[in-house]
Amino acid sequence: MQLLPLLIVVVVLAVRMIRPQRISVTRMWVSPIILCVLTAWVIYENDRLYPAPPIDIAVALFIGAIAGLPFGVLRGMHTDVRPTDKPGVMHLGSSWVTIAIFAVAFGLRYAIRMAMPHRGELTGTIGDGLLAFAIVFIGASYFVIFRKYERLAHTPTATP
């Protein structure tokens, strides 16, 4: 059951992000929302199995979020974004890095849990921090991508 969330995430992200695509600005936010819901569910279920003090969970989530922010911004800055002739639609470059980040976050979470099976509270909070890293990475990169799109979409094109 531990690998089920990892498999779901990898399949969803692989299908969506392995190739360049035309995507609407609204639809761009669907996968981060789904991933946030999946992550919240995993954190909730983890806390039911290995209860940890809420402050420990909050600190782990905060540290993971702070660590994921610069990587997400960096990924967003290096993603190819081009507006299309249709308002609110863009060409978004492929991103295997996103799939790798989520796979590594869930994989490390699973590996830590297997390496320290009698430390449920600690492994749970470390895993929660890794998930926060991945979520903030995605959110920050999409925010930067959205800002790039907005800048490009509102820049007048030169006529020959």
Side-chain angles (χ1 to χ4, degrees):
M1 192 65 177
Q2 286 283 335
L3 291 178
L4 183 61
L6 173 63
L7 293 175
I8 291 170
V9 167
V10 169
V11 168
V12 167
L13 289 175
V15 168
R16 255 181 84 60
M17 298 178 183
I18 200 71
R19 59 183 167 67
Q21 56 186 316
R22 282 176 61 120
I23 187 170
S24 72
V25 173
T26 305
R27 202 176 102 208
M28 178 180 77
W29 292 105
V30 171
S31 66
I33 290 169
I34 290 170
L35 293 172
C36 283
V37 169
L38 176 65
T39 301
W41 173 71
V42 168
I43 291 170
Y44 171 76
E45 287 297 322
N46 180 61
D47 192 48
R48 283 188 36 202
L49 292 173
Y50 306 103
I55 190 72
D56 290 356
I57 295 171
V59 167
L61 293 175
F62 179 75
I63 291 170
I66 293 299
L69 188 62
F71 290 102
V73 169
L74 189 62
R75 183 257 177 171
M77 289 171 48
H78 293 287
T79 299
D80 180 40
V81 178
R82 292 177 286 130
T84 64
D85 54 349
K86 191 173 181 183
V89 178
M90 70 179 101
H91 284 283
L92 188 58
S94 65
S95 177
W96 61 269
V97 173
T98 303
I99 297 167
I101 289 287
F102 254 87
V104 167
F106 271 91
L108 280 175
R109 184 176 185 275
Y110 181 74
I112 290 169
R113 185 153 306 177
M114 292 298 109
M116 301 183 339
H118 302 294
R119 306 292 302 245
E121 182 180 308
L122 178 62
T123 59
T125 54
I126 291 171
D128 294 346
L130 288 168
L131 295 179
F133 173 89
I135 288 296
V136 170
F137 170 84
I138 296 285
S141 63
Y142 275 18
F143 180 76
V144 172
I145 289 168
F146 173 72
R147 299 286 295 173
K148 282 173 71 173
Y149 167 75
E150 286 290 309
R151 236 182 355 257
L152 292 169
H154 291 68
T155 301
T157 57
T159 54

